[in-house]
Amino acid sequence: MSTTTTSPTPESEGPPRAGRLIHNESTMEIPVHLLFRDDPDPEPVPASPVVVGRRQDTGEQPFLPLRDGREAPRFRRPVAAKARPAVRVDPELVERPARVLPGVAGVLAGVCGMAGCVANSWWAGVLPPLAVHALRLPGDAGAGLGPVQWAGYAGAGALGLFGFGGLARGRTGRAWVLGLFGRYRGTVRRTGLMWVNPLLLRRRVDVRLRHWRSEPMQAADGNGVALRVVVLVVWRVRDTARAVLGVEDHETYLRECVEAALAQVPVEPPGGARGSVEAAGDALTRLVAADAAPVGLEVFSVRPVRVEYAPEVAAAMHRRRIAALDAQQRAGMLASVVDSVEDTVTRLTVRGLVELDDYERKALVKDLTVAFCAGRGEQGP
């Protein structure tokens, strides 16, 4: 009898490997980077006392130093939004009256220039005999056209052109902004005939009370629904110097101010309360007046005169409004029917006309409700 001795499996080899499930399988090594490896511990950092402090230079949140001396991340306090910078125009650009003369001065200067030309022509002997006889002048001097005569022509002609060329007519509600070589020289608000230096550049400005009805502009209500709003702006030019020279086109500037205000103020949609519409108009007036005042414009009112939904949401909002009105009408009709049924049942029972138990009462209420609803439906809204 032979005894078979089995050698023990070494502990280093581990448990025996199971048999292959697939006969042609092979084993290969795949490198794997583990997230947590048994790395040697770093050098210990001596513990330091925890110090909580606040920066002296800034009013930030308290900071907490880490063990290695670095500061832990902290949250900063929310910073308030900066105020919108106010619109500023050149402070020296302020309307002031220009120096002008009455129109009589220009007429006299022009007449003197023409008289000088006639006298110079008579002196040179080039005046026609018919004109000499008509003006009852003595015979021609016959001096001829020399340098002196040409100088006389130049002076008299310049005086006549300067006198007649400076005549201007001022109208009520209109003003002239005068400038010379790019410099503001004053504003003329006078009416009637006057004389203005013909070398000055004139720009006509309408200073009357004006109203402007805008085209449909984009706006939104309190819920962000797109609207198309037509506003009526009542305004006038108060400072002609700033309106003409402080901005490129004051009318375009005013239009853009209205558009910017409509983007900030919610407008009540069609069918809203009257008080909300007036509140929106007051808010629009304040915003537009504050933006237009630095450029010499005075805005009295900005009022929405027509409010409608944008084309892309008009159909949906119309259906929504009809559904709300229908639901409101149904709720009112139901309340009226319930009141009528209650009144009918109460009168029947109080007067002792009928004696009803709970089942009969419920049946009577049901029949009366159906009858009243059918009658209201046939009568229509």
Side-chain angles (χ1 to χ4, degrees):
M1 181 174 178
S2 61
T3 305
T4 304
T5 304
T6 305
S7 59
T9 305
E11 295 179 0
S12 60
E13 296 180 359
R17 185 175 182 271
R20 295 182 178 181
L21 299 178
I22 304 176
H23 294 284
N24 59 349
E25 69 172 331
S26 60
T27 304
M28 60 181 298
E29 295 182 359
I30 301 177
V32 178
H33 299 279
L34 299 179
L35 297 178
F36 303 96
R37 297 182 299 176
D38 296 334
D39 293 340
D41 296 335
E43 297 181 1
V45 179
S48 58
V50 177
V51 179
V52 178
R54 182 179 295 273
R55 290 188 177 273
Q56 300 291 336
D57 53 348
T58 59
E60 297 177 352
Q61 296 290 345
F63 63 91
L64 180 66
L66 300 178
R67 296 180 60 187
D68 56 355
R70 296 177 301 171
E71 294 183 8
R74 57 187 180 277
F75 296 98
R76 295 181 179 272
R77 291 181 178 179
V79 180
K82 296 182 179 180
R84 184 181 60 177
V87 180
R88 295 183 179 180
V89 185
D90 187 0
E92 297 181 358
L93 190 60
V94 181
E95 180 180 336
R96 61 178 182 270
R99 297 178 180 178
V100 295
L101 298 177
V104 178
V107 174
L108 291 177
V111 172
C112 291
M114 294 179 60
C117 290
V118 172
N120 194 52
S121 300
W122 170 80
W123 183 25
V126 295
L127 193 65
L130 184 60
V132 174
H133 180 71
L135 296 175
R136 298 180 181 180
L137 297 176
D140 298 339
L145 292 175
V148 179
Q149 285 74 18
W150 286 113
Y153 274 123
L159 181 61
L161 293 176
F162 206 73
F164 288 123
L167 294 177
R169 183 180 60 176
R171 297 181 180 179
T172 303
R174 302 294 178 91
W176 294 93
V177 177
L178 307 181
L180 180 62
F181 303 117
R183 183 179 180 183
Y184 174 62
R185 303 298 297 178
T187 300
V188 180
R189 288 180 177 262
R190 295 177 55 178
T191 59
L193 187 64
M194 55 187 170
W195 183 86
V196 183
N197 187 349
L199 299 179
L200 298 177
L201 178 63
R202 309 174 191 177
R203 298 183 182 180
R204 187 185 296 272
V205 184
D206 191 347
V207 295
R208 296 174 296 180
L209 186 66
R210 304 171 63 183
H211 66 279
W212 168 59
R213 184 184 179 94
S214 70
E215 64 279 0
M217 295 183 176
Q218 296 182 359
D221 60 1
N223 298 324
V225 179
L227 301 174
R228 291 293 185 271
V229 181
V230 177
V231 297
L232 179 65
V233 185
V234 181
W235 63 286
R236 72 174 180 181
V237 176
R238 185 173 184 179
D239 192 316
T240 57
R242 292 189 174 184
V244 176
L245 305 177
V247 67
E248 183 177 359
D249 187 354
H250 59 273
E251 294 184 3
T252 303
Y253 179 81
L254 178 62
R255 183 181 300 109
E256 294 176 354
C257 288
V258 173
E259 293 180 359
L262 284 174
Q264 301 179 24
V265 177
V267 183
E268 187 68 20
R274 182 177 180 83
S276 58
V277 175
E278 294 179 356
D282 295 340
L284 290 173
T285 302
R286 288 194 300 270
L287 289 177
V288 177
D291 290 340
V295 296
L297 303 181
E298 186 176 6
V299 179
F300 296 95
S301 66
V302 181
R303 294 175 295 176
V305 295
R306 190 179 68 187
V307 182
E308 57 186 11
Y309 290 106
E312 58 271 15
V313 298
M317 297 307 297
H318 181 69
R319 291 194 299 269
R320 178 179 178 183
R321 185 179 179 185
I322 294 300
L325 292 176
D326 190 14
Q328 183 179 3
Q329 182 180 0
R330 289 176 180 273
M333 184 183 69
L334 182 60
S336 177
V337 168
V338 170
D339 293 341
S340 301
V341 171
E342 182 182 5
D343 184 62
T344 302
V345 174
T346 302
R347 288 186 178 184
L348 289 175
T349 55
V350 169
R351 294 182 180 181
L353 299 178
V354 292
E355 294 181 359
L356 303 174
D357 55 6
D358 293 340
Y359 178 79
E360 293 175 346
R361 182 184 295 272
K362 292 180 180 179
L364 179 60
V365 168
K366 179 179 180 181
D367 295 340
L368 289 176
T369 302
V370 172
F372 286 158
C373 288
R376 293 293 178 89
E378 292 178 358
Q379 294 178 2

